Amino acid sequence: MADRAESETPRVGAAVLPDPGSVPHDSATTHVTGRSEYVDDRPMLRGELLCGIVYSPHARARLTRLDLSAALAVPGVACAVTAADVAHNLWGSIIVDQPLLVEQEAQYAGEVVAVLAAESRESLAKAMRAVRVEWEKLPAIRSIDQAVAAGAFIGAERSIARGDADAALAAAPHRLSGTVVIEGADHFYLESQAAIAYPRADGPMEVHSSTQHPTETQHVVAEAIGVPFNEVVCIARRLGGGFGGKESQAAPIAAYAALVARKTGRPARLAISKDDDMIITGKRNPFQIRYEVGFDGEGRLLALKAQLHSDGGAYADLSTAIMERALLHSDNAYCIPDMHVRGQVCRTNHHPHTAFRGFGGPKGVAMIESVIEDVARTLGRDALDVRKRNVYAPGRDTTHYGQKVENNCLPALFESLEARCDYRRRREDITKWNADRSSNPRGLSMTAVKFGISFTTRFLNQANALVNVHRDGTVQVSTGAVEMGQGVNTRIAAIVAERLGVPIGAVRVMVTSTEKNANTSPTAASAGTDLNGAAAAAACDRICARLANLALHLRDLPPERWPSRTAGLGTQPEAQVTDHPPAEPVRFEAGRVHAGPFSIAFADLAREAWLSRISICEYGHFATPDLGFNKLTGQGRAFLYYTQGVAASEVEIDRFSGEVKVRRVDLLMDMGRPINHALDVGQVTGGFVQGMGWVTTEHLFYNADGLLVSHSPSTYKIPSIQDTPRVFNAHLVFNEGNAANIRGTKAAGEPPLLLSLSVWTAIRDAVMNARAARSGGRDLVPMAIPATAERVLRALEPEAFAAIETR
């Protein structure tokens, strides 16, 4: 990886800033020593119950018998909860269409029908075995093609268009059409879904949940048990990973625990196993994309039409918003003059699919990057040259939804990484290598990302924060952001420390709770720091204004007349200050406050403020400005800014097994002015490797009844240390040109994952190189995601597999 000196170059359209430093993650020590507390680590209370779930094993089935009598007779079993116990049995983040518990008909394998609660794990296990459930299996829709044929859809078809794609296609010198198949993937967070509900006799029910969206969890729990929102408090201390899988789907888990707690009056804990978690929770939406592209002899894209279908599963969850994001990112880094993309979510009998790092962005980007590879192969050109010919540039910098690409670093990023990774020489070497048909095929590809940062639903782009300065100068900060390993607390602490001019060690970011921060948005869309950090900064600015005015007041007073000398006796009038900007410059830095030659320790000034009855606590609210995307017309400013990057990946394929080895990755990301360099590098490299798993080895298998069978680490292969690139060069560009966001930083959570598509396109490059070496042609070889070893081997040797299968 890049060291600090390397990460300061290249200068991509902006001045290079000094390394901002790398304060350790606030939980780094407790993580590595095993002392970090997650939901299921909380000590058991006297009388606490353990919960288990009963779910459908069929994709679609009518419930004909649910007999819990034997289970309830097991010693130690306290209760069972069914749909009859739920005050309001429907929930949904966008469309309220999903039952918490099955009433008559299950719509997917894994849909919960009952919850049992017992005093011990042994009693619970025995009771679960005693449950008697009978089902009548019903016809099910198990694929996108079946859903389209049946007209089974969720929501209306969405469309985004610019120009006249049909006319431009008809006039284009060259045309191609194709289909991109993208399968789902599991989030595989290390901490499975978990919640504990504590029924408080003298206050609201307290729910501790592993959730990315405490507010939604609070509301779903309240509706399920039939109380107003103020009768539930949701607390999320930290998550052992989320990646979008706990944005919406943590809420019903918390509701199950709360229903038991409400029914029994006892604390209830539900921490499901990895197997059950994978079976019942939704995945990254599978997509099927059909496209037609028109282009000229130089590889310039002239027109694109695409129809995107996604598998939403049995209920809506977040799939309509995911589809919208896929449509918005179908251009990725490239300007296409005439473009028309349409998207429709299909209703199937799978678990409801949900948010996953990148949301719908990876699907749209996979499509256009695959298109560019095919255009280049058809014309006999290098795909990098085709990308550079089509990349957004001055005069060609408006997207198909009408937003200008501001602070556009994409052309410079391509040029810089091309030189840094020695792309041209390596391409020549790979061509020579592949000419030897006895060698393992190699491929090389460079792809880009232009990821829009903001929720596309405008009202979600808001946050609030509570900043409490104590008399000793230390600070507590509460926001709606949830720490799930990404370092949002560390970044917010850095923002507050910088604003107040105190050491970061003086700032403590508190546990996330709906009691302190209400009506919050989920920690998602890579916007956790952007929104919550800006809200905290707004609170700090008002505190600083008061303290600055007080400092100016104290400067003009003899120390013997300061509040610390006189307030107890009441001999001096109190300072009357406002939170308007001070009349003179006042600096907060290095733990002191400076007003000209006058200087006072921040802690001393905080104490003087308290003695003067001046508030040094503040609530801040932030709403992202300048957003104006019209969902009905598909036009407008959808994002505050774009995080941009490029990656070049080289792969080698074992020609006997189809196994892919990633030999080298060079990655260059524009992160604006990073708040924390080390955390950003961790996000960039971690996101890339997670994406590698999605495009190569992570394959979901379902049985004939629609039940997931690859539901454990032994059957579902996430990347291991053996899968990481043999050479992995990750560099960050310091770009001072991004003025849109708090402190000039750019989001790091989701964008790097999309660069892993360079591994997928490199695999296609290697396969087509090998095929061309044999036939001398330019055959286009489709490759579904994930490009598993079997799929790669089939693509390399289609004739051999055809012969085997016809025997």
Side-chain angles (χ1 to χ4, degrees):
M1 297 180 191
D3 61 26
R4 293 183 177 183
E6 290 178 319
S7 68
E8 293 178 352
T9 57
R11 302 170 183 261
V12 180
V16 174
L17 301 180
D19 184 346
S22 299
V23 176
H25 191 291
D26 68 323
S27 298
T29 301
T30 56
H31 282 351
V32 298
T33 57
R35 292 184 291 114
S36 292
E37 181 185 272
Y38 298 90
V39 171
D40 199 29
D41 293 325
R42 294 180 63 82
M44 292 279 290
L45 298 184
R46 179 179 299 174
E48 185 172 317
L49 299 172
L50 300 172
C51 301
I53 52 175
V54 179
Y55 52 79
S56 167
H58 307 296
R60 182 168 173 246
R62 183 176 294 111
L63 180 61
T64 58
R65 180 190 178 208
L66 176 61
D67 185 354
L68 301 172
S69 57
L72 291 171
V74 172
V77 173
C79 79
V81 169
T82 65
D85 298 293
V86 186
H88 183 73
N89 198 31
L90 285 180
W91 74 284
S93 298
I94 299 174
I95 301 171
V96 181
D97 66 341
Q98 183 171 353
L100 283 167
L101 292 164
V102 172
E103 295 185 53
Q104 296 178 330
E105 189 176 301
Q107 296 297 322
Y108 65 93
E111 188 165 10
V112 179
V113 65
V115 182
L116 297 181
E119 295 174 347
S120 69
R121 297 187 188 280
E122 293 75 19
S123 295
L124 181 61
K126 188 174 181 180
M128 295 291 288
R129 291 192 296 268
V131 174
R132 296 292 175 261
V133 190
E134 294 179 3
W135 303 91
E136 177 191 351
K137 291 173 61 174
L138 300 172
I141 295 174
R142 296 281 311 285
S143 71
I144 289 174
D145 286 339
Q146 290 175 358
V148 171
F153 300 124
I154 298 173
E157 183 182 73
R158 297 291 300 278
S159 176
I160 300 177
R162 173 173 61 186
D164 189 337
D166 287 316
L169 280 168
H174 303 277
R175 294 169 68 170
L176 282 175
S177 60
T179 300
V180 178
V181 175
I182 304 169
E183 296 185 358
D186 190 78
H187 304 82
F188 216 91
Y189 30 72
L190 295 184
E191 178 202 22
S192 295
Q193 302 276 3
I196 307 174
Y198 300 103
R200 304 300 189 191
D202 57 348
M205 179 171 289
E206 184 178 299
V207 177
H208 291 251
S209 173
S210 183
T211 175
Q212 293 175 237
H213 198 347
T215 289
E216 181 176 51
T217 299
Q218 172 199 19
H219 294 175
V220 171
V221 166
E223 290 172 346
I225 64 177
V227 299
F229 294 162
N230 69 342
E231 290 299 316
V232 176
V233 172
C234 180
I235 298 171
R237 182 179 186 87
R238 63 166 59 86
L239 277 57
F243 311 116
K246 297 175 181 177
E247 180 176 344
S248 59
Q249 300 201 359
I253 302 298
Y256 301 148
L259 284 163
V260 169
R262 182 77 167 181
K263 188 169 185 176
T264 63
R266 299 166 66 174
R269 177 184 306 238
L270 176 56
I272 62 179
S273 68
K274 175 57 67 178
D275 299 87
D276 284 347
D277 186 301
M278 292 184 71
I279 288 170
I280 71 172
T281 59
K283 316 302 176 192
R284 185 185 291 280
N285 295 72
F287 266 63
Q288 187 169 284
I289 306 172
R290 292 184 172 89
Y291 68 84
E292 188 172 6
V293 62
F295 52 99
D296 66 18
E298 299 296 313
R300 186 173 291 106
L301 304 185
L302 304 175
L304 175 72
K305 283 186 68 177
Q307 173 70 65
L308 289 71
H309 283 108
S310 72
D311 182 341
Y315 304 107
D317 200 275
L318 294 166
S319 290
T320 53
I322 290 164
M323 175 58 75
E324 179 179 76
R325 174 74 73 156
L327 296 175
L328 289 167
H329 284 73
S330 292
D331 62 328
N332 192 26
Y334 314 106
C335 183
I336 306 170
D338 293 271
M339 184 171 177
H340 187 186
V341 288
R342 296 179 295 144
Q344 179 67 70
V345 180
C346 297
R347 190 184 299 276
T348 68
N349 295 108
H350 285 133
H351 26 213
H353 295 303
T354 191
F356 199 146
R357 195 174 191 170
F359 218 53
K363 293 34 167 294
V365 172
M367 182 266 293
I368 192 62
E369 294 292 354
S370 180
V371 165
I372 287 181
E373 292 284 326
D374 289 350
V375 167
R377 180 73 53 171
T378 299
L379 296 175
R381 295 179 177 273
D382 192 296
L384 176 57
D385 293 328
V386 176
R387 289 185 169 93
K388 289 166 66 176
R389 184 162 284 115
N390 288 284
V391 71
Y392 281 108
R396 301 175 62 255
D397 55 4
T398 301
T399 66
H400 58 300
Y401 47 92
Q403 179 169 343
K404 184 175 181 179
V405 183
E406 298 165 332
N407 188 224
N408 178 17
C409 298
L410 289 164
L413 288 169
F414 269 120
E415 293 290 344
S416 178
L417 189 62
E418 178 184 342
R420 181 187 286 267
C421 77
D422 201 9
Y423 180 91
R424 300 295 175 179
R425 181 193 59 76
R426 291 168 59 205
R427 171 61 74 191
E428 292 177 0
D429 290 346
I430 286 174
T431 300
K432 294 175 183 176
W433 175 274
N434 287 330
D436 180 358
R437 292 176 54 188
S438 65
S439 299
N440 287 332
R442 290 180 180 176
L444 174 64
S445 182
M446 186 186 297
T447 64
V449 65
K450 171 186 65 66
F451 196 86
I453 305 298
S454 291
F455 290 96
T456 55
T457 298
R458 184 166 54 188
F459 63 76
L460 292 177
N461 294 287
Q462 61 175 312
N464 57 69
L466 175 64
V467 176
N468 292 327
V469 177
H470 294 278
R471 286 182 286 166
D472 64 351
T474 59
V475 186
Q476 290 177 329
V477 184
S478 300
T479 75
V482 176
E483 175 59 58
M484 60 188 100
Q486 82 279 40
V488 68
N489 285 351
T490 304
R491 289 183 173 91
I492 291 174
I495 290 171
V496 169
E498 185 177 71
R499 273 304 209 271
L500 298 178
V502 298
I504 194 170
V507 180
R508 166 74 66 180
V509 178
M510 307 305 291
V511 171
T512 306
S513 169
T514 58
E515 183 179 15
K516 293 175 289 186
N517 300 97
N519 305 318
T520 58
S521 296
T523 302
S526 302
T529 299
D530 290 8
L531 294 173
N532 295 279
C540 290
D541 288 347
R542 284 194 282 276
I543 294 170
C544 284
R546 294 182 204 130
L547 291 177
N549 285 315
L550 178 60
L552 292 173
H553 175 77
L554 295 178
R555 180 190 64 180
D556 299 331
L557 285 179
E560 59 270 16
R561 295 175 58 190
W562 285 10
S564 55
R565 305 281 184 88
T566 63
L569 301 174
T571 59
Q572 295 293 321
E574 290 180 316
Q576 301 297 314
V577 303
T578 70
D579 54 10
H580 296 304
E584 302 176 31
V586 177
R587 293 178 294 111
F588 290 73
E589 60 185 25
R592 300 190 68 81
V593 181
H594 306 273
F598 175 77
S599 177
I600 182 173
F602 180 85
D604 292 341
L605 184 59
R607 183 167 180 264
E608 298 292 338
W610 175 71
L611 291 168
S612 299
R613 296 193 294 178
I614 297 170
S615 174
I616 48 176
C617 304
E618 188 58 68
Y619 172 92
H621 181 265
F622 174 76
T624 306
D626 303 324
L627 297 178
F629 180 65
N630 186 322
K631 291 176 177 283
L632 298 181
T633 63
Q635 295 293 306
R637 186 179 177 86
F639 307 111
L640 181 63
Y641 65 91
Y642 298 99
T643 294
Q644 302 158 82
V646 291
S649 294
E650 180 181 337
V651 303
E652 181 174 318
I653 299 171
D654 187 307
R655 63 193 181 97
F656 298 110
S657 69
E659 182 183 9
V660 174
K661 292 295 183 185
V662 182
R663 290 170 45 82
R664 176 173 170 177
V665 170
D666 293 86
L667 188 153
L668 189 61
M669 290 290 296
D670 162 32
M671 302 307 303
R673 301 170 62 220
I675 294 172
N676 188 301
H677 179 271
L679 290 180
D680 281 0
V681 170
Q683 286 287 284
V684 167
T685 53
F688 187 92
V689 171
Q690 184 179 44
M692 278 178 49
W694 165 55
V695 301
T696 57
T697 61
E698 297 185 34
H699 201 184
L700 298 166
F701 289 91
Y702 297 83
N703 68 15
D705 277 338
L707 187 74
L708 183 71
V709 295
S710 53
H711 52 70
S712 70
S714 62
T715 52
Y716 185 79
K717 189 182 185 310
I718 64 171
S720 71
I721 192 65
Q722 309 298 331
D723 299 303
T724 55
R726 299 306 190 257
V727 178
F728 198 176
N729 300 312
H731 304 271
L732 305 187
V733 172
F734 292 85
N735 170 11
E736 200 173 11
N738 177 43
N741 193 35
I742 177 73
R743 204 182 170 280
T745 186
K746 287 193 175 185
E750 293 170 292
L753 181 139
L754 283 74
L755 290 176
S756 66
L757 287 163
S758 60
V759 173
W760 176 61
T761 51
I763 293 169
R764 290 195 67 212
D765 182 62
V767 169
M768 290 189 282
N769 288 339
R771 295 270 290 268
R774 288 202 303 266
S775 68
R778 298 176 183 171
D779 293 343
L780 302 180
V781 181
M783 181 72 68
I785 292 176
T788 61
E790 179 182 343
R791 284 177 172 158
V792 170
L793 195 57
R794 284 178 175 274
L796 280 174
E797 303 290 346
E799 299 85 2
F801 276 90
I804 293 171
E805 290 166 353
T806 55
R807 287 177 183 173

